[in-house]
């Protein structure tokens, strides 16, 4: 029987990843593929918390000329839309799922309560954390780091559209060098953009490893959890 390396994980999915090949909105083929992969991982009895971004709908820093707090709150609402789409796809696959939001909207989701989230995980439910941390000026990367620390996750799985961390953009420079392993300080000092500096520092302070991998390749979520050497690992 396949044995996972990690027992409790935070899966961070960017909004751009949920857009698939589109430049805007939700690509439901992509959402369904992600749901299928999460369903496969659940068979391994792994506790899964998911943090979703909202960049496929609205990104706070895109609100040029807007009040930053207002723009960021719009971004938080975008993450809730993505979370509900993923929840719907998971539940169609008989995966019990709860969406918890950092901004209360009880008509559509539970408010974030740490103990309740942990209890859901212990009962085998997937918990999707939406609306960031509920405050402007913080990214969903920081949300992933914070929730990972709060629920005592073993690792953050940072699902991207690239297969790891490079010294420059591989889509622009074909000579870009891929890193197999980095330290938190490498990421901060080299300004590699794996996560923002707040999120990276939070992971460093709490010794939470980060694995950056390619979400577009089918089966990669399971491969990472089984310990296969794919992507880039960031740790102490």
């Amino acid at each position: 029987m396949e044995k996972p390396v990690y027992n409790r994980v935070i899966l961070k999915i960017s909004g751009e990843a949920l857009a698939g090949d589109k430049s805007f909105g939700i690509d439901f083929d992509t959402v369904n593929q992600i749901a299928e992969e999460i369903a496969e991982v659940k068979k391994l009895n792994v506790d899964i918390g998911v943090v979703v971004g909202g960049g496929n709908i609205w990104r706070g820093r895109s609100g040029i000329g807007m009040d930053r707090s207002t723009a960021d709150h719009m971004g938080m609402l975008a993450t809730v839309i993505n979370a509900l789409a993923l929840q719907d796809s998971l539940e169609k696959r008989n995966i019990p799922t709860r969406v918890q939001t950092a901004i209360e909207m009880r008509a559509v989701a539970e408010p974030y309560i740490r103990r309740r989230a942990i209890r859901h995980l212990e009962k085998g439910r997937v918990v999707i954390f939406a609306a960031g941390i509920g405050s402007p000026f913080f990214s969903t990367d920081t949300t992933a780091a914070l929730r990972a620390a709060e629920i005592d996750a073993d690792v953050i799985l940072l699902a991207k559209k690239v297969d790891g961390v490079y010294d420059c953009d591989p889509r622009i420079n074909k000579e870009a060098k891929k890193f197999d392993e980095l330290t938190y300080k490498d990421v901060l000092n080299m300004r590699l953009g794996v996560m923002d500096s707040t999120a990276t520092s939070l992971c460093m302070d709490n010794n939470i490893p980060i694995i950056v991998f390619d979400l577009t390749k089918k089966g990669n979520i399971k491969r990472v959890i089984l310990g296969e050497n794919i992507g880039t690992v960031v740790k102490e």
Side-chain angles (χ1 to χ4, degrees), residues 72-90:
D72 279 357
H73 277 97
M74 290 170 64
M76 292 178 217
L77 296 178
T79 71
V80 178
I81 294 172
N82 287 335
L84 293 175
L86 182 58
Q87 179 187 41
D88 180 76
S89 188
L90 285 165

Side-chain angles (χ1 to χ4, degrees), residues 49-102:
V50 183
V51 173
V52 289
N56 55 320
I57 300 171
W58 178 263
R59 188 181 293 279
R61 62 175 179 265
S62 300
I64 299 172
M66 291 184 67
D67 174 74
R68 176 63 188 273
S69 292
T70 300
D72 279 357
H73 277 97
M74 290 170 64
M76 292 178 217
L77 296 178
T79 71
V80 178
I81 294 172
N82 287 335
L84 293 175
L86 182 58
Q87 179 187 41
D88 180 76
S89 188
L90 285 165
E91 290 186 338
K92 284 178 179 174
R93 288 158 178 79
N94 298 315
I95 302 298
T97 308
R98 298 290 186 273
V99 174
Q100 290 198 340
T101 59

Side-chain angles (χ1 to χ4, degrees), residues 4-172:
V5 173
Y6 308 105
N7 296 313
R8 178 172 293 171
V9 305
I10 283 288
L11 174 63
K12 168 60 169 58
I13 304 172
S14 68
E16 289 87 347
L18 292 174
D21 294 329
K22 301 176 182 178
S23 59
F24 178 84
I26 300 171
D27 178 63
F28 285 97
D29 288 338
T30 299
V31 172
N32 289 332
Q33 178 191 323
I34 294 169
E36 287 282 358
E37 294 198 38
I38 292 174
E40 280 296 309
V41 172
K42 283 305 298 176
K43 294 177 183 177
L44 302 173
N45 294 319
V46 175
D47 296 341
I48 304 175
V50 183
V51 173
V52 289
N56 55 320
I57 300 171
W58 178 263
R59 188 181 293 279
R61 62 175 179 265
S62 300
I64 299 172
M66 291 184 67
D67 174 74
R68 176 63 188 273
S69 292
T70 300
D72 279 357
H73 277 97
M74 290 170 64
M76 292 178 217
L77 296 178
T79 71
V80 178
I81 294 172
N82 287 335
L84 293 175
L86 182 58
Q87 179 187 41
D88 180 76
S89 188
L90 285 165
E91 290 186 338
K92 284 178 179 174
R93 288 158 178 79
N94 298 315
I95 302 298
T97 308
R98 298 290 186 273
V99 174
Q100 290 198 340
T101 59
I103 299 173
E104 286 198 24
M105 46 188 82
R106 293 175 182 269
V108 296
E110 296 180 3
Y112 172 69
I113 299 172
R114 174 181 169 271
R115 288 179 180 272
R116 183 178 289 176
I118 291 172
R119 187 62 177 149
H120 286 322
L121 293 169
E122 290 172 345
K123 286 181 172 289
R125 298 164 184 151
V126 173
V127 182
I128 305 174
F129 301 106
I133 66 169
S135 299
F137 301 98
F138 292 95
S139 70
T140 51
D141 284 346
T142 300
T143 305
L146 179 60
R147 298 293 181 250
E150 289 179 309
I151 68 169
D152 198 24
D154 300 321
V155 67
I156 295 174
L157 307 181
L158 203 57
K160 299 273 193 178
K161 281 187 171 183
V162 292
D163 62 347
V165 181
Y166 289 78
D167 59 353
C168 58
D169 192 337
R171 293 168 295 186
I172 298 173

